[in-house]
Amino acid sequence: MCHTSASNHMANIVTANSIEQLVSFVQKAKQSGIPIVDYGLAHAGLGFAPPTKHTKLIQQGTVLEHAKQDFTVCAQAGITFKELTERLEAENQFCPIDADVDITLGEIINHHVYGPLRVKFGAMRELLLGLHYLNSQAEDIHVGGRTVKNSAGYDVTRFMVASLGQLGLIHQATLRTYALPAAICQCVVLLDNPAAFDAKLTDLLLSDAAPAGIQMVYQNGTWQLEFIYMDNPFAIEVQIKSLKEQLKHFEANWSTQTQIDSITQYFQQQTQARAWQRKAAALVKVIVPPSQTGTLAKLAQKWNPSLMIQTLPTHGCVMLGGNLNNETAIELDQKILAFLPQCQGMRMWTKRPENSSINPFGPKQSEWPLLNQIKKTMDPENLFNPGRFLPVE
Amino acid sequence: MANTQTILTTLKRIVGESAVLSDRNELKVYECDGFPIAKAMPLAVVFPTQTKQVAECVKWLANHQIEIVPRGSGTGLAGGCVAFEQGVLISTSCMTNIESVDVSNRVACVQAGVRNLTLTESIADTGLRFSPDPSSQRAATIGGNFATNAGGINTLKYGVTTNHVLGIELVLANGEILTIRPGGVCDGIGPDVAALIGSSEGTLGIITKLWCKLVPDPKHFRTVYAVFDSTRSACKTVADVIASGILPTSMEMMDGQMIRVVEDAFHFGFDTTAQSLLLIEIDGIDAILDEQMDQIAHIAKLNQATDIQKCSDPKRRAELWSARKRAFGAIGRISHSYCTQDACVPRSLLPDVVETVNRIGEKFQLKITNVFHAGDGNIHPILLFDESKPDDVQKVMQASEEILQYCISIGGTLTGEHGVGVEKLNLMPKMFNQPTLEMFLSLKKTFDPNQCINDGKLIPSDKIKVELYQPVATNVPGGAL
């Protein structure tokens, strides 16, 4: 089914759910010189604005093959994470991606979406086995495959992750799946000092308390650590017992323990817990070495007490956001940029206030000039999300 | 192009007199890697100890159109570091500093020549380890592991090398030094160039430093040994264990022939009438491992295992794994030479692959024995031959090609962990369509416009042609390349 409408005089919106339609759109884009733009749903505000004239693409999709015995699934990029989860759950499997349920697989790959479950299951670099994408000649490029190990050719599969949709039009992906856990449990502890947890995290991971996922949230004036356990009930019992013993080492107090009934419920809850990020007027993702996560979160709360804060302590990911105007966003950004050099971190503004002057990406990394050259190599027609991150030259 | 004397003088100036080998007797060791069919004597081998020396060598050699081949320990199995006869090998084997270990960030910064096992041994007191464990880990360098995306026995649960490298330092073909995601950050902005360098087999630049992710070193294990009268039963056990929700650390299999070879060599007490042997290991929380071990044993029994042993004793565990890890060494007792293939297929198709491999062995009158990373679907058919016999070499190459073509046809890949090197170049068009191959070549030219670093490996080059159907190819101009 193909739907075309003009939402304004500058951008057509097209919907596609087949490779044939996508090939046709890319060919038309190449002929007309009007690029294809897909910034996604949760990441619509990330990057520089698209060119005035563009075609906005919405992909739809479904599962193409679920190899149950091999624990792999091949799906079109337009499938939503909700549908993917439901299809797998019906076969007692799941994909531990930790993404918002309404975004597509393509958006997850293009933006390297991950969450607390990265602790146990990794992220796209671990889960993605193969990709198909269209290049700017509308040719189908197939990299990786459906095996869990693959050293053939360049690892463009993993390279396309976090490519912000600028190197090609991903239309199909094969992922690794896991057996559904017998039980899921969320434990919340309250922290006085988030930086105290940083110093003890390795010890926790070395203990029986090592969870499937960890995240930290600042809300209503308190720091909360959420531990996710996914295992059989007896194992979870052992893990929680160990967690309670560990608490005294990082100045935390036990709060709640909740059973989660299903993996679908887990992902829905996580989507809701991240809902503030969609509503925020401004949102910045800061990447630091893991041991700096709590330190940065604590500082950020002091810089601007109105900030919402959500972190992944094992992977140094700090999300800061809220109702910032341009002035307060710039102020925050300057403080972040002053903090980063000591730890070789970086930040990107997933959403900036209207008419913001903030450069969304930085500090500049040494490989960016090379990435520009790679962009020219892989998308010589500059058709795919031009100028979003890698500049139009 | 500069003459030999100028080349050697310049290299000695950069890295020091003693760090350049040019005597043909000394160079013999460097004429091939673990793939003995492709051989060539380089002009020289250099052993820098610092990144800036690598950069200076590369810049000078590239400016003088001298082919460069990066090499770690030379344990590769696909000819990825076979030399060019007027080219220079740059070996990172003397770049062996562990520059920092950061326990709070769980990252170690190492020079590319640090041996895989050395890193884990040096951090034993932290409770952490570097997870990738290829069989060659005592000798193989971490840079080489990353360049081929090496696997090993632990990959089922813990992943391959690229999953354990957070950032790298790389010398590009123009001598520029690039540092990508240093310091232990676990993410970045935009696509990850380091991920692209992983498994690039030294064709995009020379890796000089890595930031390696460190993970908890498990303290508690259980091992289950089971033998079966058929490979199919063993493979079904593998599938059923994973479907039960248990994700073992490793699931290794040997076929009947390999069981006999290993038993004859080392006398572990294996049943030499068995058709397959499965070794399954689990790790984790001590309190739950016994139950999981019993569950695995029960699954093996349901699949008609003829003998099952459960093991929590470290000594017996070490013996069982020694048997697996020494399997390749045992081959040396029964064959002059061997060629190990490295296909990876969807796990459920392993039994079909084994039957096909056996049929191909019969067709070419070759003895083939098999070792598998069964949990990954990664099969290593070991083809036994005598490399001094041209007919044998031909048969091995043809049989290998047939095996790999079959694996590709059923949705597998032509290499799970050894890499393409020169060995599997001609199969790349079977695996990838023309636009994809062109994309690979254009990426290569983006990094290396003059195609001076390890050209002709991994992807078919428009500059170099490879001929492998000649044993001991040093008598051919240009060697095998």
Side-chain angles (χ1 to χ4, degrees), chain A residues 74-87:
Chain A
C74 177
Q76 289 175 300
I79 190 172
T80 62
F81 186 54
K82 179 172 186 280
E83 187 189 335
L84 178 65
T85 300
E86 284 169 355
R87 290 285 299 268

Side-chain angles (χ1 to χ4, degrees), chain A residues 70 114 150 154 202 291 366 377, chain B residues 103 105 179 187 203 348 413 446:
Chain A
D70 297 325
Y114 57 87
N150 195 336
Y154 291 127
T202 298
S291 68
S366 65
T377 298
Chain B
V103 172
N105 284 308
T179 307
D187 196 358
T203 60
S348 58
T413 176
T446 301

Side-chain angles (χ1 to χ4, degrees), chain B residues 430-449:
Chain B
K430 306 284 181 197
M431 177 93 191
F432 300 102
N433 63 16
Q434 193 56 29
T436 304
L437 289 173
E438 283 170 9
M439 182 269 293
F440 285 157
L441 189 57
S442 64
L443 273 177
K444 161 71 174 168
K445 288 179 180 176
T446 301
F447 279 79
D448 181 15

Side-chain angles (χ1 to χ4, degrees), chain A residues 270-289:
Chain A
Q270 288 298 314
T271 301
Q272 256 177 307
R274 282 188 294 267
W276 68 270
Q277 296 183 15
R278 298 267 190 114
K279 292 177 192 153
L283 182 68
V284 59
K285 176 180 177 182
V286 191
I287 298 154
V288 293

Side-chain angles (χ1 to χ4, degrees), chain B residues 68-107:
Chain B
I68 300 161
V69 174
R71 178 180 166 115
S73 294
T75 54
L77 294 167
C81 60
V82 70
F84 296 85
E85 288 223 334
Q86 292 303 313
V88 171
L89 283 179
I90 297 182
S91 170
T92 58
S93 61
C94 290
M95 298 178 72
T96 54
N97 278 347
I98 296 175
E99 302 207 334
S100 65
V101 176
D102 181 351
V103 172
S104 61
N105 284 308
R106 297 172 295 286
V107 64

Side-chain angles (χ1 to χ4, degrees), chain A residues 1-2 24 48 78 83 108 122 134 150-151 176 199-200 207 231 241 263 267 269-270 289 300 332 345 355 368:
Chain A
M1 175 70 92
C2 171
S24 167
F48 297 100
E83 187 189 335
I108 292 169
L134 295 181
N150 195 336
S151 290
R176 194 174 165 169
K200 295 297 172 189
S207 74
D231 215 316
K241 186 175 170 202
I263 199 69
F267 288 134
Q269 278 181 7
Q270 288 298 314
L332 176 63
N355 301 317
W368 286 4

Side-chain angles (χ1 to χ4, degrees), chain B residues 4-22:
Chain B
T4 302
Q5 201 45 54
T6 307
I7 296 168
L8 294 177
T9 305
T10 306
L11 292 173
K12 285 174 183 173
R13 176 185 59 73
I14 297 171
V15 298
E17 183 100 15
S18 59
V20 178
L21 282 186
S22 57

